[in-house]
Each structure stands twice: as C-alpha cells, then as structure tokens.
Amino acid sequence: MADTTQSQPAPRRFPKPGAWAATAALLLLIAVFDWAQFTPTVIFAAKALAHTAPFILFAVFAVAYLKASGAETLIAKAFSGNQARMIIMAALLGGLSPFCSCEVIPFIAALLAVGAPLGAVMAFWLASPLMDPAMFAITSGTLGWEFATAKAFAAIGLGMLGGFGTMLFAHTPVFTNPLRERPAVGGCCGVKKPFSGAPVWRFWQETDRRGTFRDTALENALFLIKWLTLAYVIEAMMLAYVPAEMIAGLLGGTGIWPILMGAFVGAPAYLNGYAAVPLVDALLAQGMAPGAAMSFVIAGGVSCIPAAIAVWALVKPRVFVAYLSFALVGAVIAGSLWQAIA
C-alpha cells in the first residue's frame, strides 16, 4: 500500500516589519490620502539623503576601518588601574567607540563577574550609546558640528556623572550585589571572544580582516541608509502635517520646562539614534528649544531599546533604574548648558 502520509509543510515565516517596510507604508498612506504631498515628500527625502551622503560615506569607512583593525581591544584598557581613572577612561572611550551596546555585553559581563568596579562600567554604558564616529558625522551633517561636538562632550560628561555617582553610592542597597543570578553573555552581534588581542592598523595585509572591512562597510551603509530614509520621510511628514505652534508651545521657549519635557519625551520616543537626528532637525525647524533638543537626544539615546536591553540583561532592576535616572539627570544638565550657550 502506498504511503499516503504527507509531511506537514513548515509554517511560513514572515519577516518582521523593518525600516524599509515602515517607509513604504508611510509613503503608501501619503499616496492614498494626500497624493499632492507624495512627490514633495519623496523629493525632500532624496535631497536630504544626497546632502548627508558624504557624512554617511565617512561614517561607513571609519567604522569599517576600526572594526577591521580590531580597535575595540583598546576598550579593555579603560578598566584597569585606579577606579577614578577607570571612570574617566571608560567615559572617554564609551563616548568615542564605534561599537554597539549589544557587542559589549560579553565583555561587560566578564568584567562584572570578576569584580570590575560598577562605576567604570556605568560610565561606559551611559556614554557608549550616545556618540561614535558615525553618529558624529551624521549629526554634524544635519544639526551642525557645534551640536555634534556639544553632544560628544555631553556623552562623556554623562558617563562621568554616572560613574562617579555609582562610585560614591557603591555601598548603598541600590548598587550592592548588582548582577543578575545568571547574566546574559551573548549579544545580537555574536561576539564570542570580545576585546582580545591587539589592534592591527594595517588590516589590509590579512584576508580575514579585509573581509571584516567589506562586510562591516556594507552592513553599516545599509543600516544608515534604511534608517535615515525612514527618518527623512517622517521629517517631511512632520513639517507638512504637525502644526509648528504645537511644537513651539510644548518644547519651545526658555527656562527649564522645555528641557525637562525634551528629556521625558526623548526617553521613550525613539528606537534608533541615527533616525532621531533628522527628527530633531524637524522639531527645531518647528520651534523646539535648543536645550530641549539636546536633552531629547541624550535621554533618548541612553534609553533606546538596544542600549537599555544591554544593561537590563546583566544587572538587577534597581541598578537599571539608577542607569535611567542618571540618563535623565544628565540630559537635563546637558540641555540646560546647551540652552545657555547656543
């Protein structure tokens, strides 16, 4: 008798909607409900991408070079010696390193497990999501080099604030025994032996490193283009549909209130720091106060999902709350200082 049993087909797996899908959906909505705005939106996004293209190229090749050369090994040097020195070095390297939060999870987990001071780790965690070579290039191209430079200093300052604050209260119940029982040591970037070895600045002499350079450049180019395309489409929609009076009334003006609002709105408002830059540009055009813009990007950068998950995966909730608290306080301070000098 013939075998009539048939294997059940595997369930179809639909890809999760991403930045490209969101961009297509927004453009489709504009085409359906406001066709007259469709072409101006596409032209606005295309011109914005063309303007940002040189900064994207610089960012892509800079990050690819640092990856291929193994420059992330320098981060390990921040966690040795005197604790105060560790905090300063961790804040500096965190604010300048081109590596995503998930990439440093295995490294940070190992440091915490062997007793590295939580203050230095906190300094690195707070500074690292806020600024890197790619972020500096994109921010400079859209918001100006002054804003980008101020944000870089704010990232380092926030790292020091959190680092020294953690060191000062290290023996309080908040920071005592900070690790989860089984901290996660895997990250979405798949780092198996993080930060080992020494940098090889002439990476092109090794085949594997040339491959790393190529793959990293392509990956980052696609990443930046897809998120910036979505952000520029949203920026065009905000300029067309969101009343400037509403933005100016909520986030404009002087004093501490717009800065506080920028921090509390920015904390949950965006998932990706690169996409936030054009959105802030649109908000500024509609009357957002400079200080509110700075507090928005600082609070939002630290609390964005990739950065927050990296911390949540390793430490207990009370330490995570302290992490977010440092972010909000630092964002308000940075916004106030930028409001005073901008």
Side-chain angles (χ1 to χ4, degrees):
M1 181 180 292
D3 183 10
T4 58
T5 61
Q6 297 180 357
S7 60
Q8 295 295 324
R12 181 178 296 177
R13 295 181 178 179
F14 295 97
K16 294 181 180 180
W20 291 124
T23 300
L26 291 175
L27 290 175
L28 179 61
L29 288 173
I30 296 173
V32 171
F33 294 104
D34 189 5
W35 175 251
Q37 188 61 33
F38 179 82
T39 300
T41 299
V42 172
I43 292 175
F44 179 93
K47 286 184 176 179
L49 276 174
H51 172 76
T52 316
F55 302 95
I56 295 176
L57 287 174
F58 171 80
V60 165
F61 287 112
V63 172
Y65 174 78
L66 292 171
K67 280 278 200 175
S69 63
E72 71 269 26
T73 58
L74 298 175
I75 295 177
K77 296 180 179 179
F79 297 89
S80 61
N82 177 269
Q83 183 175 177
R85 174 190 170 278
M86 279 192 240
I87 290 171
I88 295 172
M89 289 300 297
L92 287 169
L93 286 175
L96 301 174
S97 64
F99 309 104
C100 69
S101 299
C102 63
E103 244 180 341
V104 300
I105 289 177
F107 176 64
I108 294 297
L111 285 171
L112 289 172
V114 299
L118 183 61
V121 173
M122 184 69 76
F124 185 82
W125 258 335
L126 287 166
S128 62
L130 294 176
M131 188 56 68
D132 55 47
M135 179 67 73
F136 189 89
I138 299 300
T139 305
S140 296
T142 304
L143 300 176
W145 70 267
E146 298 94 343
F147 190 94
T149 303
K151 187 185 176 188
F153 279 107
I156 296 169
L158 176 59
M160 293 185 185
L161 171 69
F164 285 111
T166 302
M167 183 177 73
L168 181 63
F169 296 103
H171 299 294
T172 64
V174 174
F175 297 111
T176 301
N177 190 21
L179 279 181
R180 290 182 180 270
E181 294 300 323
R182 292 177 177 269
V185 294
C188 64
C189 302
V191 181
K192 296 180 179 179
K193 293 182 179 180
F195 309 106
S196 59
V200 178
W201 302 114
R202 297 182 180 181
F203 72 88
W204 53 86
Q205 298 176 349
E206 299 181 18
T207 302
D208 290 345
R209 292 180 183 271
R210 290 199 300 270
T212 298
F213 180 88
R214 180 189 63 249
D215 295 342
T216 302
L218 179 61
E219 178 183 355
N220 277 278
L222 293 174
F223 175 85
L224 290 173
I225 290 171
K226 73 178 182 181
W227 280 107
L228 289 173
T229 300
L230 173 60
Y232 288 134
V233 169
I234 295 175
E235 180 182 6
M237 294 176 66
M238 290 176 64
L239 291 172
Y241 300 122
V242 179
E245 297 80 8
M246 186 182 75
I247 301 298
L250 183 64
L251 297 171
T254 59
I256 193 66
W257 176 250
I259 296 169
L260 288 171
M261 286 299 299
F264 282 100
V265 171
Y270 65 96
L271 304 178
N272 180 276
Y274 298 100
V277 174
L279 303 186
V280 171
D281 188 41
L283 291 170
L284 286 169
Q286 292 174 292
M288 186 183 199
M294 182 62 72
S295 64
F296 181 92
V297 297
I298 297 298
V302 173
S303 64
C304 69
I305 286 179
I309 287 178
V311 181
W312 179 264
L314 297 178
V315 297
K316 294 180 178 178
R318 49 188 163 81
V319 180
F320 180 74
V321 171
Y323 167 85
L324 294 180
S325 300
F326 282 130
L328 288 172
V329 172
V332 172
I333 293 173
S336 300
L337 291 174
W338 180 243
Q339 182 87 345
I341 65 177

XYZ file of all heavy atoms in Angstrom, residues 239-333:
667
model
N 6.933 68.182 9.047
C 6.927 69.561 8.567
C 5.622 69.897 7.855
O 5.152 71.038 7.885
C 8.119 69.787 7.634
C 9.505 69.766 8.295
C 10.598 69.812 7.242
C 9.659 70.925 9.276
N 5.025 68.877 7.212
C 3.806 69.124 6.447
C 2.548 69.077 7.299
O 1.602 69.831 7.054
C 3.695 68.097 5.314
N 2.532 68.201 8.298
C 1.278 67.924 8.994
C 1.237 68.336 10.463
O 0.145 68.492 11.018
C 0.958 66.425 8.905
C 0.814 65.917 7.501
C 1.621 64.888 7.022
C -0.132 66.460 6.639
C 1.496 64.414 5.733
C -0.268 65.997 5.338
C 0.552 64.962 4.885
O 0.419 64.511 3.601
N 2.380 68.452 11.130
C 2.368 68.792 12.554
C 2.440 70.306 12.694
O 3.391 70.926 12.219
C 3.550 68.132 13.294
C 3.535 68.528 14.769
C 3.473 66.613 13.157
N 1.468 70.907 13.335
C 1.482 72.380 13.463
C 2.706 72.855 14.239
O 3.019 72.350 15.323
C 0.205 72.677 14.248
C -0.665 71.473 14.038
C 0.272 70.308 13.922
N 3.388 73.825 13.684
C 4.575 74.357 14.343
C 4.213 74.984 15.689
O 5.010 74.956 16.632
C 5.251 75.388 13.439
N 3.004 75.529 15.769
C 2.593 76.158 17.020
C 2.540 75.147 18.165
O 2.839 75.473 19.317
C 1.224 76.819 16.850
C 1.193 77.959 15.842
C 1.107 77.457 14.402
O 0.910 76.231 14.200
O 1.267 78.281 13.471
N 2.145 73.904 17.844
C 2.052 72.883 18.883
C 3.439 72.518 19.416
O 3.634 72.392 20.630
C 1.376 71.627 18.326
C 1.112 70.554 19.374
S 0.355 69.077 18.658
C 1.781 68.347 17.826
N 4.402 72.366 18.506
C 5.768 72.036 18.920
C 6.356 73.186 19.728
O 6.985 72.978 20.774
C 6.646 71.721 17.696
C 6.066 70.546 16.910
C 8.076 71.434 18.130
C 5.997 69.258 17.683
N 6.153 74.396 19.234
C 6.701 75.554 19.936
C 6.075 75.705 21.312
O 6.742 76.099 22.281
C 6.474 76.820 19.099
N 4.782 75.391 21.426
C 4.131 75.507 22.716
C 4.574 74.450 23.706
O 4.640 74.701 24.912
N 4.893 73.248 23.212
C 5.276 72.147 24.096
C 6.766 72.143 24.417
O 7.161 71.928 25.568
C 4.886 70.812 23.456
C 5.157 69.543 24.278
C 4.311 69.537 25.541
C 4.873 68.299 23.446
N 7.602 72.355 23.387
C 9.045 72.206 23.554
C 9.817 73.478 23.250
O 11.047 73.448 23.196
C 9.561 71.076 22.641
C 9.002 69.681 22.939
C 9.410 68.705 21.831
C 9.508 69.179 24.271
N 9.131 74.582 23.053
C 9.812 75.819 22.734
C 9.916 76.742 23.938
O 9.478 76.422 25.043
N 10.504 77.887 23.700
C 10.617 78.879 24.754
C 11.889 78.733 25.566
O 12.813 78.008 25.211
N 11.931 79.438 26.682
C 13.100 79.440 27.549
C 12.743 78.817 28.893
O 11.595 78.457 29.146
C 13.606 80.881 27.755
O 12.546 81.662 28.332
C 14.035 81.495 26.433
N 13.744 78.716 29.726
C 13.508 78.146 31.050
C 13.734 76.645 31.073
O 14.115 76.019 30.077
N 13.452 76.052 32.220
C 13.750 74.642 32.444
C 12.667 73.730 31.900
O 12.924 72.560 31.591
C 13.953 74.379 33.958
C 14.586 73.004 34.191
C 12.630 74.504 34.698
C 15.988 72.869 33.661
N 11.433 74.219 31.734
C 10.327 73.350 31.350
C 10.549 72.676 29.991
O 10.370 71.452 29.875
C 9.011 74.130 31.357
C 7.844 73.312 30.874
C 7.163 73.456 29.711
C 7.243 72.203 31.552
N 6.170 72.520 29.609
C 6.194 71.733 30.729
C 7.489 71.566 32.767
C 5.393 70.653 31.093
C 6.686 70.489 33.130
C 5.657 70.049 32.301
N 10.907 73.388 28.916
C 11.142 72.699 27.638
C 12.248 71.655 27.730
O 12.179 70.608 27.072
C 11.535 73.836 26.685
C 11.004 75.062 27.316
C 11.088 74.839 28.792
N 13.263 71.934 28.544
C 14.374 70.978 28.686
C 13.897 69.711 29.393
O 14.232 68.587 28.986
C 15.532 71.634 29.449
C 16.084 72.818 28.638
C 16.637 70.626 29.748
C 17.038 73.702 29.403
N 13.095 69.894 30.459
C 12.525 68.731 31.143
C 11.624 67.937 30.203
O 11.682 66.699 30.163
C 11.731 69.189 32.364
C 12.536 69.698 33.557
C 11.604 70.310 34.600
C 13.357 68.566 34.184
N 10.812 68.620 29.443
C 9.919 67.940 28.503
C 10.717 67.203 27.442
O 10.359 66.089 27.049
C 8.972 68.953 27.849
C 7.876 69.454 28.765
S 6.801 68.106 29.327
C 6.155 67.529 27.766
N 11.808 67.816 26.965
C 12.644 67.149 25.981
C 13.205 65.848 26.511
O 13.242 64.829 25.810
N 13.640 65.854 27.772
C 14.193 64.640 28.374
C 13.132 63.572 28.563
O 13.339 62.399 28.221
C 14.850 64.972 29.713
N 11.974 63.961 29.081
C 10.937 62.969 29.366
C 10.234 62.478 28.108
O 9.740 61.353 28.065
C 9.919 63.534 30.366
C 10.417 63.520 31.777
C 10.928 64.669 32.360
C 10.415 62.353 32.524
C 11.412 64.665 33.665
C 10.895 62.334 33.829
C 11.387 63.487 34.406
N 10.195 63.313 27.054
C 9.655 62.857 25.775
C 10.689 62.019 25.034
O 10.369 61.018 24.401
C 9.200 64.051 24.914
C 8.837 63.606 23.503
C 8.013 64.744 25.568
N 11.956 62.436 25.126
C 13.002 61.728 24.398
C 13.276 60.351 24.936
O 13.603 59.429 24.177
N 13.132 60.153 26.249
C 13.467 58.862 26.850
C 12.734 57.702 26.194
O 13.353 56.689 25.855
C 13.198 58.910 28.358
N 11.407 57.784 25.985
C 10.728 56.657 25.338
C 10.460 56.864 23.853
O 9.808 56.024 23.227
C 9.388 56.616 26.086
C 9.094 58.047 26.368
C 10.432 58.728 26.561
N 10.945 57.965 23.273
C 10.410 58.387 21.980
C 11.004 57.689 20.769
O 10.325 57.549 19.760
C 10.579 59.894 21.816
N 12.268 57.246 20.819
C 12.809 56.695 19.579
C 13.650 55.458 19.831
O 14.182 55.246 20.906
C 13.593 57.751 18.801
C 14.856 58.280 19.439
C 16.098 57.746 19.116
C 14.810 59.338 20.331
C 17.261 58.253 19.676
C 15.968 59.845 20.888
C 17.189 59.308 20.557
O 18.349 59.799 21.100
N 13.735 54.629 18.783
C 14.419 53.350 18.880
C 15.834 53.413 18.337
O 16.636 52.530 18.607
C 13.641 52.276 18.091
C 12.180 52.077 18.488
C 11.546 51.021 17.589
C 12.062 51.681 19.932
N 16.151 54.411 17.546
C 17.437 54.445 16.860
C 17.981 55.862 16.862
O 17.306 56.796 16.436
C 17.253 53.946 15.421
C 18.558 53.948 14.652
O 18.943 54.978 14.110
N 19.227 52.831 14.615
N 19.218 56.011 17.353
C 19.802 57.332 17.478
C 20.043 58.030 16.162
O 19.941 59.261 16.074
N 20.379 57.266 15.106
C 20.624 57.884 13.807
C 19.335 58.446 13.218
O 19.320 59.527 12.651
C 21.238 56.852 12.853
C 22.574 56.346 13.322
C 22.698 55.121 13.974
C 23.727 57.104 13.125
C 23.919 54.665 14.420
C 24.953 56.654 13.566
C 25.052 55.429 14.216
O 26.263 54.985 14.665
N 18.248 57.707 13.362
C 16.973 58.182 12.845
C 16.471 59.387 13.619
O 15.691 60.194 13.098
C 15.933 57.062 12.899
N 16.912 59.540 14.865
C 16.454 60.664 15.686
C 17.001 61.992 15.200
O 16.371 63.034 15.405
C 16.861 60.437 17.140
N 18.165 61.981 14.547
C 18.805 63.242 14.150
C 17.916 64.051 13.198
O 17.663 65.242 13.445
C 20.192 62.967 13.544
C 20.790 64.258 12.989
C 21.118 62.363 14.593
N 17.414 63.472 12.103
C 16.516 64.262 11.244
C 15.227 64.671 11.944
O 14.674 65.732 11.656
C 16.222 63.308 10.077
C 17.358 62.337 10.073
C 17.715 62.157 11.512
N 14.739 63.846 12.868
C 13.523 64.208 13.586
C 13.756 65.438 14.453
O 12.904 66.334 14.536
C 13.055 63.031 14.447
C 12.800 61.711 13.716
C 12.205 60.695 14.665
C 11.888 61.925 12.511
N 14.905 65.495 15.095
C 15.240 66.671 15.893
C 15.378 67.893 15.000
O 14.971 68.999 15.369
C 16.526 66.420 16.698
C 17.009 67.707 17.366
C 16.291 65.354 17.765
N 15.934 67.702 13.809
C 16.060 68.801 12.860
C 14.691 69.373 12.518
O 14.500 70.598 12.457
C 16.765 68.303 11.600
C 17.110 69.432 10.645
O 17.551 70.498 11.108
O 16.934 69.249 9.425
N 13.715 68.482 12.314
C 12.356 68.938 12.013
C 11.737 69.644 13.218
O 11.067 70.676 13.070
C 11.484 67.751 11.605
N 11.954 69.111 14.403
C 11.410 69.733 15.615
C 12.011 71.118 15.835
O 11.311 72.055 16.236
C 11.670 68.840 16.821
C 10.880 67.530 16.865
C 11.410 66.629 17.984
C 9.404 67.795 17.062
N 13.311 71.258 15.583
C 13.953 72.573 15.720
C 13.363 73.568 14.720
O 13.162 74.744 15.040
C 15.465 72.436 15.517
C 16.238 71.802 16.670
C 17.671 71.485 16.238
C 16.254 72.719 17.896
N 13.091 73.086 13.496
C 12.508 73.962 12.487
C 11.114 74.426 12.880
O 10.644 75.473 12.421
C 12.456 73.245 11.135
N 10.450 73.649 13.736
C 9.092 73.997 14.142
C 9.033 74.703 15.492
O 7.952 74.898 16.031
C 8.227 72.732 14.176
C 7.985 72.152 12.785
C 7.262 70.824 12.853
O 7.809 69.833 13.314
N 6.031 70.807 12.390
N 10.193 75.043 16.042
C 10.186 75.855 17.252
C 10.699 75.181 18.497
O 10.587 75.752 19.589
N 11.263 73.985 18.393
C 11.810 73.312 19.576
C 13.008 74.105 20.101
O 13.865 74.565 19.337
C 12.255 71.901 19.202
C 12.705 71.042 20.373
S 13.304 69.408 19.801
C 13.208 68.449 21.305
N 13.089 74.269 21.410
C 14.196 75.000 22.019
C 15.493 74.199 21.883
O 15.462 72.962 21.938
C 13.904 75.261 23.497
N 16.638 74.871 21.701
C 17.911 74.145 21.565
C 18.204 73.240 22.756
O 18.674 72.110 22.590
C 18.945 75.269 21.453
C 18.180 76.447 20.958
C 16.809 76.320 21.532
N 17.926 73.723 23.962
C 18.174 72.906 25.139
C 17.303 71.669 25.174
O 17.737 70.595 25.600
N 16.051 71.810 24.729
C 15.156 70.663 24.667
C 15.651 69.650 23.653
O 15.536 68.433 23.857
C 13.736 71.118 24.328
N 16.222 70.129 22.548
C 16.767 69.218 21.545
C 17.913 68.402 22.117
O 18.014 67.189 21.896
C 17.245 70.009 20.325
N 18.779 69.047 22.891
C 19.905 68.333 23.470
C 19.433 67.322 24.513
O 19.904 66.170 24.535
C 20.891 69.328 24.095
C 22.148 68.686 24.686
S 23.156 67.804 23.453
C 23.830 69.210 22.535
N 18.511 67.735 25.381
C 18.024 66.793 26.392
C 17.276 65.640 25.737
O 17.324 64.505 26.220
C 17.127 67.511 27.407
O 15.959 68.016 26.802
N 16.608 65.903 24.631
C 15.882 64.864 23.901
C 16.826 63.781 23.390
O 16.588 62.586 23.582
C 15.129 65.508 22.735
C 14.321 64.549 21.906
C 12.983 64.321 22.197
C 14.876 63.891 20.821
C 12.226 63.446 21.424
C 14.140 63.015 20.048
C 12.803 62.799 20.348
N 17.927 64.193 22.735
C 18.826 63.199 22.144
C 19.646 62.470 23.207
O 19.995 61.297 23.029
C 19.762 63.834 21.093
C 18.961 64.395 19.925
C 20.637 64.917 21.697
N 19.944 63.128 24.319
C 20.710 62.469 25.378
C 19.849 61.428 26.086
O 20.227 60.259 26.224
C 21.260 63.494 26.387
C 22.246 64.455 25.707
C 21.942 62.777 27.547
C 23.475 63.798 25.139
N 18.663 61.834 26.529
C 17.792 60.890 27.237
C 17.344 59.767 26.321
O 17.317 58.591 26.717
C 16.574 61.632 27.793
N 17.005 60.099 25.085
C 16.548 59.076 24.157
C 17.639 58.109 23.757
O 17.399 56.907 23.592
N 18.875 58.609 23.594
C 19.970 57.732 23.204
C 20.292 56.695 24.256
O 20.542 55.520 23.952
N 20.287 57.094 25.519
C 20.616 56.168 26.600
C 19.501 55.157 26.826
O 19.752 53.993 27.131
C 20.907 56.940 27.900
C 21.086 55.986 29.078
C 22.165 57.793 27.733
N 18.249 55.593 26.662
C 17.122 54.711 26.964
C 16.592 53.968 25.747
O 15.617 53.220 25.877
C 15.983 55.528 27.587
O 15.498 56.483 26.653
N 17.195 54.160 24.566
C 16.709 53.446 23.394
C 16.843 51.939 23.616
O 17.667 51.469 24.408
C 17.447 53.888 22.138
S 19.178 53.404 22.057
N 16.040 51.170 22.915
C 15.900 49.739 23.206
C 17.228 48.974 23.178
O 17.519 48.213 24.106
C 14.870 49.107 22.255
C 13.464 49.545 22.676
C 14.958 47.584 22.272
C 12.356 49.013 21.824
N 18.096 49.116 22.152
C 19.344 48.339 22.174
C 20.214 48.635 23.387
O 20.763 47.720 24.011
C 20.038 48.757 20.868
C 18.943 49.239 19.994
C 17.952 49.887 20.901
N 20.340 49.920 23.726
C 21.174 50.277 24.876
C 20.555 49.798 26.181
O 21.244 49.262 27.059
C 21.383 51.796 24.919
N 19.253 49.975 26.315
C 18.586 49.585 27.558
C 18.633 48.076 27.764
O 18.842 47.597 28.892
C 17.140 50.082 27.549
N 18.435 47.318 26.696
C 18.471 45.856 26.823
C 19.850 45.381 27.252
O 19.986 44.428 28.035
C 18.052 45.201 25.488
C 16.546 45.377 25.279
C 18.405 43.722 25.461
C 16.032 44.820 23.982
N 20.891 46.049 26.753
C 22.249 45.653 27.122
C 22.467 45.754 28.623
O 23.164 44.925 29.220
C 23.266 46.531 26.381
N 21.884 46.763 29.244
C 22.016 46.934 30.693
C 21.072 45.988 31.428
O 21.465 45.310 32.382
C 21.729 48.396 31.091
C 21.880 48.585 32.593
C 22.684 49.340 30.347
N 19.835 45.935 30.994
C 18.830 45.084 31.648
C 19.261 43.622 31.675
O 18.958 42.889 32.621
C 17.501 45.238 30.936
C 16.401 44.392 31.509
C 15.985 43.165 31.078
C 15.573 44.708 32.628
N 14.960 42.700 31.846
C 14.679 43.629 32.823
C 15.498 45.804 33.497
C 13.728 43.612 33.830
C 14.549 45.788 34.503
C 13.681 44.701 34.668
N 19.979 43.189 30.641
C 20.371 41.779 30.544
C 21.340 41.365 31.636
O 21.437 40.176 31.953
C 20.991 41.503 29.170
N 22.049 42.322 32.203
C 23.140 41.969 33.104
C 22.906 42.340 34.561
O 23.431 41.679 35.456
C 24.443 42.638 32.635
C 24.958 42.216 31.262
C 26.216 42.987 30.931
C 25.219 40.731 31.212
N 22.158 43.395 34.828
C 22.066 43.882 36.203
C 20.635 43.800 36.712
O 19.683 43.648 35.941
C 22.574 45.338 36.325
C 24.041 45.420 35.973
C 21.741 46.269 35.436
N 20.499 43.927 38.021
C 19.192 43.858 38.661
C 18.399 45.133 38.385
O 18.975 46.177 38.068
C 19.370 43.614 40.154
C 19.971 42.245 40.446
C 20.160 41.999 41.933
C 20.714 40.589 42.168
N 20.975 40.310 43.596
N 17.065 45.040 38.504
C 16.221 46.197 38.156
C 16.593 47.482 38.867
O 16.500 48.568 38.274
C 14.821 45.721 38.547
C 14.873 44.237 38.385
C 16.267 43.846 38.799
N 17.021 47.421 40.116
C 17.355 48.650 40.842
C 18.544 49.366 40.213
O 18.604 50.604 40.193
C 17.619 48.346 42.315
C 18.558 47.209 42.585
C 18.594 46.850 44.079
N 19.169 45.553 44.347
C 20.469 45.290 44.402
N 21.334 46.269 44.208
N 20.899 44.080 44.661
N 19.494 48.605 39.699
C 20.635 49.219 39.014
C 20.187 49.787 37.667
O 20.654 50.853 37.231
C 21.765 48.194 38.832
C 22.964 48.829 38.128
C 22.189 47.627 40.177
N 19.277 49.095 37.020
C 18.739 49.584 35.752
C 18.006 50.915 35.952
O 18.132 51.838 35.145
C 17.799 48.541 35.158
C 17.195 48.940 33.842
C 17.953 48.937 32.684
C 15.862 49.318 33.765
C 17.401 49.295 31.458
C 15.300 49.684 32.558
C 16.065 49.674 31.396
N 17.241 51.013 37.035
C 16.549 52.266 37.350
C 17.560 53.380 37.602
O 17.369 54.530 37.172
C 15.624 52.083 38.568
C 15.071 53.426 39.029
C 14.481 51.137 38.222
N 18.658 53.062 38.293
C 19.709 54.054 38.516
C 20.306 54.511 37.196
O 20.585 55.703 36.991
C 20.788 53.471 39.427
N 20.506 53.568 36.271
C 21.020 53.879 34.932
C 20.113 54.893 34.230
O 20.577 55.906 33.688
C 21.120 52.571 34.145
C 21.335 52.690 32.668
C 22.612 52.848 32.131
C 20.260 52.593 31.778
C 22.808 52.925 30.756
C 20.451 52.670 30.415
C 21.723 52.839 29.908
O 21.914 52.912 28.549
N 18.799 54.644 34.241
C 17.861 55.566 33.606
C 17.804 56.904 34.340
O 17.663 57.958 33.708
C 16.471 54.933 33.559
C 16.303 53.693 32.685
C 14.861 53.189 32.744
C 16.708 53.968 31.245
N 17.937 56.863 35.649
C 17.911 58.103 36.425
C 19.109 58.983 36.106
O 18.976 60.209 35.938
C 17.876 57.786 37.923
O 16.731 57.027 38.261
N 20.291 58.380 36.017
C 21.472 59.138 35.621
C 21.255 59.755 34.238
O 21.663 60.900 33.986
C 22.706 58.235 35.594
C 23.293 57.937 36.942
C 23.578 56.629 37.323
C 23.577 58.950 37.836
C 24.124 56.352 38.570
C 24.125 58.685 39.092
C 24.396 57.378 39.448
N 20.629 58.997 33.346
C 20.398 59.486 31.988
C 19.508 60.724 31.996
O 19.791 61.717 31.302
C 19.771 58.388 31.136
N 18.431 60.687 32.763
C 17.515 61.820 32.799
C 18.168 63.047 33.432
O 18.043 64.166 32.915
C 16.254 61.437 33.568
C 15.307 60.466 32.853
C 14.192 60.016 33.789
C 14.728 61.104 31.594
N 18.879 62.847 34.535
C 19.549 63.971 35.187
C 20.613 64.560 34.261
O 20.708 65.788 34.087
C 20.178 63.521 36.523
C 21.051 64.631 37.113
C 19.087 63.128 37.518
N 21.411 63.685 33.649
C 22.444 64.161 32.731
C 21.866 64.870 31.527
O 22.423 65.863 31.037
N 20.721 64.382 31.027
C 20.087 65.015 29.874
C 19.629 66.426 30.213
O 19.789 67.364 29.418
C 18.896 64.171 29.408
N 19.066 66.611 31.398
C 18.603 67.939 31.812
C 19.788 68.888 31.989
O 19.736 70.063 31.578
C 17.778 67.844 33.109
C 17.470 69.228 33.659
C 16.480 67.074 32.854
N 20.873 68.387 32.577
C 22.065 69.225 32.747
C 22.633 69.624 31.389
O 22.942 70.800 31.138
C 23.124 68.486 33.587
C 22.629 68.292 35.021
C 24.448 69.262 33.586
C 23.547 67.429 35.872
